[in-house]
Amino acid sequence: MKRTVLVIGIGVGNPDHLTLQAIDALRRADVIFIPNKGRGKDELARVRRDLCERFVRASCRMVEFDVPRREAAGDYCATVDAWHEQLSGLHARLLRTELGENECGAFLVWGDPSLYDSTLRILDRIQAAGLKFDFEVVPGISSVQALAAAHKLPLNAIGHSILITTGRRLATGVPDGVDAVVVMLDDGNALSTVKGDFEVFWGAYIGTPQEILISGKISDVMETIARARYDARKANGWIMDTYLLRRPVRE
Ligand SMILES: C[S@@+](CC[C@H](N)C(=O)[O-])C[C@H]1O[C@@H](n2cnc3c(N)ncnc32)[C@H](O)[C@@H]1O
């Protein structure tokens, strides 16, 4: 028998984001691995625990583990690679020691596992290093979909494309020819670097009771967003925001 690992997308904070497929997967799990990502992220661990309390079998074991921080200084790609190596070792140890040969374990991934999340890459590394297990991926509602729904928006203009990128990359400029950009992982500084005639559709804590939505011409709402972001981060101790930048397009 082989171990089975389920990678389950759980949406971005609203328990109602959980799909029927995700609920079935939670019920199959013998072990759920819950990451502790450090101070300020307790709320995210709490959402995961609450979902488990509602949906897993009584016999299911919860295994919490501390996630090491990525080295902030140095070349970005090199530090990410070193961090993934460290995470692979940690995940491999968890699978070897906490999951019996014929058991099913689950990692609950915020949003969807395909978008700015490394769980799938880490499992690939562990398999390449020789640990044998089957794995399945259950898609989840990502912050991008949740943002579009919250603002009641189609992301793309008719026949146009969308770029999904990070705050780090946005800070180097919106590429020519791109008229819709979804930005994730902004540490708070990238939006103020945007030049041009964009509309912005911003959302923080989307899907949760603290949700904040602001939209308008970037020059009109930039300050309001910066202030809302600062105040909310101070009040909650953490923030996650995503936004769409769109050049006005007549449809
Ligand atoms: C590490 S990425 C994870 C993305 C996730 N896999 C997804 O599908 O949305 C974290 C980023 O997702 C976005 N995000 C996640 N949850 C969010 C939420 N509830 N509201 C707004 N943005 C969110 C933010 O841009 C945050 O910096």
Side-chain angles (χ1 to χ4, degrees), residues 186-250:
D186 183 352
D187 62 7
N189 298 318
L191 185 59
S192 61
T193 66
V194 175
K195 310 242 173 327
D197 177 29
F198 284 96
E199 288 176 292
V200 58
F201 299 85
W202 181 82
Y205 315 99
I206 304 165
T208 75
Q210 297 102 311
E211 179 175 281
I212 312 171
L213 301 173
I214 298 174
S215 62
K217 265 180 66 176
I218 198 162
S219 50
D220 293 343
V221 296
M222 179 104 79
E223 300 248 309
T224 312
I225 292 174
R227 166 63 51 195
R229 198 178 192 287
Y230 177 84
D231 290 346
R233 182 181 201 140
K234 207 162 153 204
N236 297 313
W238 65 285
I239 189 161
M240 285 210 281
D241 58 344
T242 301
Y243 48 93
L244 169 72
L245 296 171
R246 192 171 75 171
R247 291 189 208 276
V249 178
R250 203 176 287 260

Side-chain angles (χ1 to χ4, degrees), residues 11-13 37 109-117 140-147 183-186 203-208 238-243:
V12 289
K37 297 194 174 179
V109 171
W110 199 254
D112 182 77
S114 68
L115 204 55
Y116 294 111
D117 185 89
I141 293 185
S142 74
S143 49
V144 178
Q145 294 155 289
L147 174 80
V183 184
M184 302 170 73
L185 291 163
D186 183 352
Y205 315 99
I206 304 165
T208 75
W238 65 285
I239 189 161
M240 285 210 281
D241 58 344
T242 301
Y243 48 93

Side-chain angles (χ1 to χ4, degrees), residues 87-103:
L87 287 171
S88 301
L90 172 64
H91 284 64
R93 251 192 324 281
L94 285 172
L95 296 183
R96 276 204 203 90
T97 56
E98 301 288 351
L99 197 61
E101 279 297 325
N102 53 2
E103 284 192 317

Side-chain angles (χ1 to χ4, degrees), residues 23-40:
I23 292 172
D24 282 347
L26 284 173
R27 289 197 177 123
R28 280 170 60 197
D30 298 300
V31 181
I32 307 261
F33 298 105
I34 301 199
N36 289 317
K37 297 194 174 179
R39 239 161 26 95

